[in-house]
């Protein structure tokens, strides 16, 4: 079965590039995923703009850093968007990049404890419960949303490490796995997520660095190099429509249920990213079965 196909609005693009990219995703793909990187665009603001600019595309947010956010505020913002755009907003939370968290005075001694406390409280708040908790990092006293979302809305979490993937699978509906995984690494991460999920099944959202054209492999490898990831053919999707379809197919075979095309950071003109979206929608998707 072919996976859902999305595109990432990478924060090397300016905020004003979001609406044209969102409209392109609405025309050609299933998903648009926005980020919340310090100190670029706000994830919730970006998601709201994308949702209001489109009609059908699902908008994901991966990920909101828990050290930046009071869980009650996160719940209020998520619930507002999920009620206005039912079934179209998939929020996600994670640790955040630790040096950035230190810059804003939010770095904690145990990111895993914070993520677990935040996710547990967030799920209960979004379910409409009154929550009182006195945790190591999360404290709430009889907090209850007046306008929780309707039942069935999704929540996700994710990141890099095995413990984070296991925690995310245990407490959310879907796991986000960061870009740059080899096929072998992705399979192992998916297996870990499935083993941790209470039902034995979990949706997996995987970002795949993607570049088209004759110099695509070099451009994609250069993107990975920025994060200190060594080149390996199965870590990226690069080349022709057939090459990119094959890479998406490998990710799906490894267990990804949503594959998010992540444009390379050298694409600084939104027109080039829109062109990539149209290319994936028109030429790559028909090759997937």
């Amino acid at each position: 079965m072919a996976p859902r196909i999305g595109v990432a609005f990478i924060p090397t693009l300016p905020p004003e590039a979001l609406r044209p990219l969102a409209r392109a995703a609405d025309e050609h793909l299933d998903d648009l995923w926005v980020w919340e990187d310090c100190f670029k665009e706000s994830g919730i603001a970006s998601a709201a703009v994308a949702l209001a600019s489109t009609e059908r595309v699902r908008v994901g947010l991966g990920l909101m850093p828990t050290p930046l956010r009071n869980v009650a505020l996160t719940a209020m913002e998520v619930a507002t968007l999920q009620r206005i755009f039912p079934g179209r907003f998939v929020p996600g939370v994670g640790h955040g990049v630790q040096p950035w968290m230190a810059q804003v005075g939010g770095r904690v001694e145990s990111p895993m404890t914070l993520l677990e406390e935040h996710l547990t409280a967030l799920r209960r708040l979004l379910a409409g419960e009154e929550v009182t908790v006195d945790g190591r990092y999360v404290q709430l006293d009889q907090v209850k949303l007046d306008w929780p979302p309707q039942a069935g809305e999704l929540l996700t979490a994710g990141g890099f490490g095995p413990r984070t993937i296991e925690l995310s699978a245990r407490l959310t509906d879907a796991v986000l796995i960061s870009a740059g995984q080899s096929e072998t690494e992705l399979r192992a991460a998916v297996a870990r997520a499935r083993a941790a999920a209470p039902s034995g099944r979990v949706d997996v959202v995987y970002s795949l660095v993607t570049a088209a054209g004759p110099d695509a492999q070099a451009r994609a490898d250069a993107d990975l190099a920025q994060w200190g990831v060594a080149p390996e053919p199965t870590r990226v999707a690069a080349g022709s429509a057939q090459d990119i379809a094959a890479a998406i197919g490998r990710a799906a075979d490894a267990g990804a249920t949503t594959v998010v095309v992540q444009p390379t950071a050298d694409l600084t003109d939104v027109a080039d990213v829109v062109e990539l979206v149209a290319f994936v929608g028109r030429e790559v998707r028909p090759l997937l079965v």
Side-chain angles (χ1 to χ4, degrees):
M1 181 177 176
R4 296 180 68 92
I5 306 296
V7 64
F9 174 64
I10 56 175
T12 49
L13 293 168
E16 57 269 23
L18 176 56
R19 284 192 293 178
L21 179 56
R23 291 172 185 142
D26 206 33
E27 180 178 358
H28 296 289
L29 304 178
D30 303 307
D31 285 12
L32 170 73
W33 285 79
V34 299
W35 296 4
E36 186 162 82
D37 269 9
C38 296
F39 301 92
K40 303 182 188 295
E41 290 105 355
S42 154
I44 287 290
S46 295
V49 169
L51 288 161
S53 301
T54 56
E55 296 295 331
R56 59 159 202 91
V57 72
R58 187 175 73 169
V59 175
L61 200 180
L63 296 160
M64 294 177 279
T66 52
L68 282 178
R69 296 181 155 273
N70 181 283
V71 68
L73 177 61
T74 301
M76 290 161 57
E77 292 181 320
V78 166
T80 298
L81 289 181
Q82 288 187 332
R83 287 187 70 101
I84 296 172
F85 302 98
R88 291 187 57 211
F89 178 48
V90 183
V93 298
H95 299 303
V97 177
Q98 295 307 297
W100 291 342
M101 300 303 99
Q103 279 184 272
V104 299
R107 189 166 186 168
V108 298
E109 185 178 2
S110 176
M112 288 297 301
T113 301
L114 171 57
L115 183 59
E116 181 163 11
E117 290 182 358
H118 191 105
L119 275 173
T120 301
L122 182 59
R123 287 221 75 131
R124 293 182 61 196
L125 289 168
L126 293 176
E129 296 181 30
E130 180 179 283
V131 180
T132 296
V133 61
D134 184 19
R136 181 173 177 182
Y137 299 112
V138 174
Q139 291 91 36
L140 299 172
D141 182 12
Q142 296 182 306
V143 176
K144 186 176 188 294
L145 296 181
D146 283 7
W147 300 105
Q150 302 300 315
E153 295 288 354
L154 300 180
L155 175 66
T156 182
F160 288 101
R163 292 175 60 212
T164 300
I165 289 171
E166 290 167 359
L167 177 66
S168 301
R170 179 164 58 85
L171 294 180
T172 70
D173 308 296
V175 176
L176 273 71
I177 298 178
S178 304
Q181 309 293 311
S182 69
E183 183 179 2
T184 300
E185 291 166 343
L186 180 59
R187 285 187 183 278
V190 171
R192 187 174 291 113
R194 288 174 175 167
S199 68
R201 184 192 179 282
V202 64
D203 284 339
V204 173
V205 181
Y206 176 58
S207 291
L208 183 62
V209 172
T210 303
D215 59 346
Q217 188 70 49
R219 291 173 47 229
D221 288 345
D223 236 48
L224 294 185
Q226 297 179 66
W227 316 325
V229 178
E232 201 272 349
T234 65
R235 294 189 192 278
V236 298
S240 66
Q242 290 78 9
D243 294 329
I244 293 171
I248 293 173
R250 284 194 299 270
D253 288 344
T257 54
T258 297
V259 178
V260 181
V261 169
Q262 183 173 311
T264 51
D266 63 317
L267 294 187
T268 55
D269 187 334
V270 68
D272 293 331
V273 184
V274 166
E275 183 179 346
L276 177 64
V277 169
F279 172 74
V280 171
R282 292 172 180 160
E283 300 191 38
V284 175
R285 281 193 82 170
L287 301 176
L288 300 168
V289 293

